[in-house]
Amino acid sequence: MTSTTINGRPLVLPDDPDALLIDVIREGGLTGTKLVCGSGVCGACTVLLDGAPVVSCLLPAQAAAGKSLTTIEGVGAAGLHPVQKAFMAHDALQCGFCTPGFVVEATAFHDSWRATKGTATPSREEIAAALSGHLCRCGAYEGIFRAVAEACSGRFDGIEPIAPRLEARDKVTGLARYTVDIHQDGQLEGVILRAHVAHARITGLDLAPARAIAGVAAVVPLLDDDNMVRFVGAPIAAVAARDRRTAL
Ligand code: FES
Ligand code: FES
């Protein structure tokens, strides 16, 4: 049995070597960490592992064994971090779905910047490089760049921000709840198996082993009659199961 600490509290990790860190975090009720691309591209799932930002959608949960994990809920738990205040004051968010990942990465950048450069203001290029692993589909980049620059310069040290957006505090602390964060009794999670190649004919699709897994409620093929896939990401089959880990 292996364990980690998450936001200072002990957490036993599953023995399953395929269990992903993000699923363990979210299944434990810390839903501030968001799953978006699931492929290491968008940064929404970023957490700190021994203080270093990592994308939890690609990391096996076992990689956290013996280490210290910090999620957005643990950032500024003792009081808002200057980066969180700056995001609120500059309205550096819209829907807020990307915000936890940006904030976690930006706090690591801020803390290391302040330790070495004091209250100098980082350039736009330096901030862009630090946040290059993150995507904001709402396009809140102007506010994000301003917020990180001013947090690093010390402008938000020790002050309470005035936020133009009512729900800003919930969104920068990971407390905002979205539909994907709500779990009802008996609810199923769906996962779609997609093509990894751009053009191929599927010569065999055996769904029986997936249907036999405990917790799987339904598996359906999604191929057309010609069994062809014509683009990367073309749907092949869909699975509904008691949780995402089982569906995967
Ligand atoms: S969800 Fe992990 S990088 Fe996009
Ligand atoms: S605020 Fe909506 S994706 Fe960034």
Side-chain angles (χ1 to χ4, degrees):
M1 190 174 77
T2 54
S3 62
T4 183
T5 64
I6 184 161
N7 302 333
R9 298 201 178 144
L11 174 76
V12 175
L13 296 167
D15 291 329
D16 179 2
D18 292 330
L20 292 170
L21 188 55
I22 189 163
D23 293 329
V24 173
I25 291 171
R26 289 182 54 83
E27 284 165 15
L30 295 172
T31 55
T33 304
K34 300 302 184 212
L35 176 69
V36 180
C37 70
S39 55
V41 173
C42 75
C45 63
T46 301
V47 296
L48 301 177
L49 197 56
D50 281 349
V54 294
V55 284
S56 60
C57 70
L58 294 181
L59 205 63
Q62 282 293 336
K67 299 190 174 166
S68 166
L69 197 59
T70 306
T71 68
I72 184 67
E73 291 89 345
V75 171
L80 288 175
H81 188 283
V83 164
Q84 290 170 312
K85 295 179 193 174
F87 266 62
M88 290 168 65
H90 282 290
D91 201 24
L93 55 126
Q94 290 182 42
C95 75
F97 212 72
C98 70
T99 307
F102 269 101
V103 167
V104 168
E105 184 93 45
T107 56
F109 173 70
H110 166 279
D111 293 353
S112 114
W113 179 271
R114 291 291 289 271
T116 55
K117 308 256 173 68
T119 52
T121 304
S123 68
R124 188 181 174 90
E125 290 70 29
E126 285 167 317
I127 297 169
L131 301 180
S132 61
H134 294 260
L135 294 174
C136 173
R137 290 153 188 83
C138 296
Y141 291 104
E142 277 308 314
I144 292 170
F145 285 127
R146 270 202 304 278
V148 176
E150 292 198 4
C152 289
S153 74
R155 204 192 131 205
F156 288 93
D157 293 358
I159 65 158
E160 265 305 301
I162 297 170
R165 190 176 295 269
L166 199 60
E167 75 282 14
R169 183 177 290 258
D170 283 352
K171 287 181 172 174
V172 301
T173 54
L175 296 181
R177 303 256 285 161
Y178 297 76
T179 48
V180 291
D181 301 328
I182 294 164
H183 193 87
Q184 309 284 2
D185 283 348
Q187 176 178 314
L188 298 175
E189 291 258 356
V191 167
I192 294 180
L193 173 68
R194 296 183 181 277
H196 294 295
V197 295
H199 195 190
R201 184 185 303 281
I202 307 284
T203 56
L205 185 63
D206 182 4
L207 301 178
R211 291 194 176 107
I213 293 173
V216 170
V219 186
V220 291
L222 298 176
L223 289 168
D224 289 335
D225 290 344
D226 62 3
N227 283 349
M228 295 291 291
V229 292
R230 293 186 171 81
F231 58 94
V232 171
I236 295 173
V239 182
R242 67 180 166 216
D243 53 38
R244 200 179 92 89
R245 212 182 326 161
T246 307
L248 283 174

